[in-house]
Amino acid sequence: MDNLTHTLTGLMLSRAGFNRWCPRATPLLLVASNLPDIDILFALGGSLDYLDQHRGYTHSLTAAPLLGAAAATLVRLFDRKALPWMRAAILATAGILCHLLLDWTNTYGIRMLLPFSGEWLRLDITNVVDVWIWTVLALCVAGPLLSRLVSSEIGAKPGTGRGAAIFALAFLIGYNCGRYVAHERAVNLLLSHSYSGAAPRRVGAFPHFANPWAWTTVVETPSAVILQKINLLLTYDPTGGESFFYPPPSRTLEAARSTRTFQRYLNFAQFPLWQVVPLDRPEGGARVDVIDLRFGDPGHPRFVATAVVNAAFRVDEEGFSFGK
C-alpha cells in the first residue's frame, strides 16, 4: 500500500489500545508502519536496482523483528524518554507485520519469504492506492479531532478516538475479505469460459482503485493474451476483450532475453507481454519491449524493459523504465 495508508493504519493501531500497553506507542507504530519502505534508498542506484530490491528483504518475515528493534531504538534515541525497550520492540514488530500484510493484498506483490524463497506473493485484491481505504481512515482521524474541538467549546471531556480506530481496523479487515471474495469470483468467471475455442492457460484479475466491482483481467491462451475491463455487476462477455498475439520465437527475442536487464526484469514480471518492432536504424534491427500487464497495456505501458537488437542479433541498447 501507499505510505499514507500505512501511516494512518499505524495511528489507528495506537489509538485502538496499544497506546495503553506501551508508552510512546504512536511514534513507535508510525515509524514501524513505514520502515520497510526504507528500501526506496535503492532508487539511488537506478530504477532497475529499485525494482530488484523493493519489497524484498526489508519486507520479509525474517527481517520483521530486526526492523522492529530498529524502530524502537530510533524512537528511544530521538525521544530521550524512558522506554520499556523490549515491549517497544514487540509493538514495533507488530507494526512491521501490519505493513507486510497490507502490501500482500496488492497487485505488486511482496517477497516475504526471503531468504528462503524469492517467490512473489500477492492476493491481487487491492490497488496500491485504494480510495475507500483512504476515505475511511481519513474520516476516523478527522472525526475525533472534530469531536475534541466541539468538546473544548462546551467544556465536555474529549474522547480518545478509540472507537473510531477500532471501527477503522474492523473496516480494513472486512473490506479486504470482501475484496478477496470479489477477486475469486472474477477469476472463476474467467476460467469458466473458452476463448476462440481454447481453454485459458492462466488468468489474472487486478483491482480498480475505487470500484470494488471493476477488474482489469488478463487471459492467456495458447496463441494470444486477452485484456479486458469487466464489472462483476454486469454480464461477462468473453469475446469483448482485446487480443495481443505472441511474437514467434526468434534469435532477436533470445538476444534480448539474454541481457542482464531482461533477466532481472523477468524475475519481477508476473504477466509479461513481448513485442517486437522493426527499426530502420540499425538497418535490419528491431526493438524488443516487455511490459507487465498487471500495470498497463501496450497503449499505456508501465514497467517496461527494452532492448535494441541489430541485424547480427547483438544488443546495441538495453534499459528499463517505469513509464513508456
Side-chain angles (χ1 to χ4, degrees):
M1 303 298 289
D2 65 286
N3 290 101
L4 177 60
T5 300
H6 287 307
T7 300
L8 294 180
T9 301
L11 180 61
M12 294 299 102
L13 286 169
S14 177
R15 289 183 177 180
F18 283 110
N19 53 0
R20 302 180 180 184
W21 183 72
C22 180
R24 319 306 296 160
T26 297
L28 277 169
L29 286 168
L30 292 182
V31 171
S33 295
N34 289 281
L35 194 56
D37 285 337
I38 196 174
D39 57 16
I40 194 173
L41 294 175
F42 286 102
L44 297 174
S47 56
L48 197 56
D49 282 348
Y50 179 66
L51 187 74
D52 278 342
Q53 302 300 330
H54 184 45
R55 295 198 180 183
Y57 282 99
T58 63
H59 287 68
S60 66
L61 293 172
T62 53
L66 299 176
L67 290 177
T73 302
L74 284 172
V75 172
R76 176 65 182 86
L77 289 174
F78 284 94
D79 194 76
R80 296 184 179 181
K81 292 182 180 179
L83 187 68
W85 191 88
M86 183 58 69
R87 186 179 297 185
I90 293 172
L91 180 58
T93 300
I96 300 290
L97 293 175
C98 285
H99 183 115
L100 304 191
L101 288 174
L102 286 172
D103 282 355
W104 182 35
T105 67
N106 294 163
T107 299
Y108 195 100
I110 181 174
R111 289 170 288 175
M112 68 171 72
L113 300 182
L114 286 171
F116 308 105
S117 170
E119 180 184 3
W120 284 94
L121 305 175
R122 64 185 208 283
L123 292 179
D124 291 341
I125 60 177
T126 58
N127 206 302
V128 172
V129 174
D130 188 289
V131 168
W132 292 106
I133 292 177
W134 266 12
T135 300
V136 171
L137 289 177
L139 288 174
C140 288
V141 171
L145 289 176
L146 181 61
S147 176
R148 288 172 189 171
L149 289 175
V150 173
S151 297
S152 65
E153 289 294 325
I154 63 177
K157 183 179 180 180
T160 63
R162 188 180 183 212
I166 292 174
F167 172 81
L169 296 175
F171 167 80
L172 274 177
I173 295 172
Y175 180 74
N176 280 305
C177 288
R179 279 283 205 175
Y180 180 84
V181 172
H183 177 262
E184 289 299 295
R185 180 181 171 189
V187 168
N188 290 331
L189 186 64
L190 298 172
L191 290 172
S192 65
H193 291 79
S194 61
Y195 302 84
S196 300
R201 295 192 306 187
R202 191 169 64 132
V203 302
F206 310 115
H208 190 269
F209 72 96
N211 186 348
W213 305 109
W215 299 82
T216 298
T217 63
V218 177
V219 177
E220 292 183 349
T221 70
S223 60
V225 60
I226 303 168
L227 303 184
Q228 189 174 6
K229 296 185 184 300
I230 68 171
N231 189 311
L232 295 179
L233 298 179
L234 305 176
T235 301
Y236 174 59
D237 178 10
T239 65
E242 184 176 6
S243 297
F244 298 91
F245 293 91
Y246 308 128
S250 67
R251 292 181 64 184
T252 298
L253 285 177
E254 290 307 311
R257 188 191 297 271
S258 66
T259 64
R260 181 62 177 150
T261 297
F262 272 60
Q263 290 173 2
R264 294 167 71 184
Y265 175 75
L266 293 173
N267 285 332
F268 165 79
Q270 302 293 298
F271 283 86
L273 176 65
W274 295 72
Q275 293 184 304
V276 179
V277 180
L279 297 176
D280 294 330
R281 295 182 180 179
E283 185 176 354
R287 188 184 78 241
V288 180
D289 293 328
V290 179
I291 66 172
D292 193 331
L293 295 176
R294 292 178 296 166
F295 307 110
D297 56 54
H300 303 86
R302 296 176 62 196
F303 293 78
V304 187
T306 301
V308 175
V309 183
N310 61 32
F313 305 109
R314 288 193 295 267
V315 176
D316 290 341
E317 300 176 29
E318 58 182 281
F320 166 79
S321 68
F322 289 106
K324 188 171 182 180

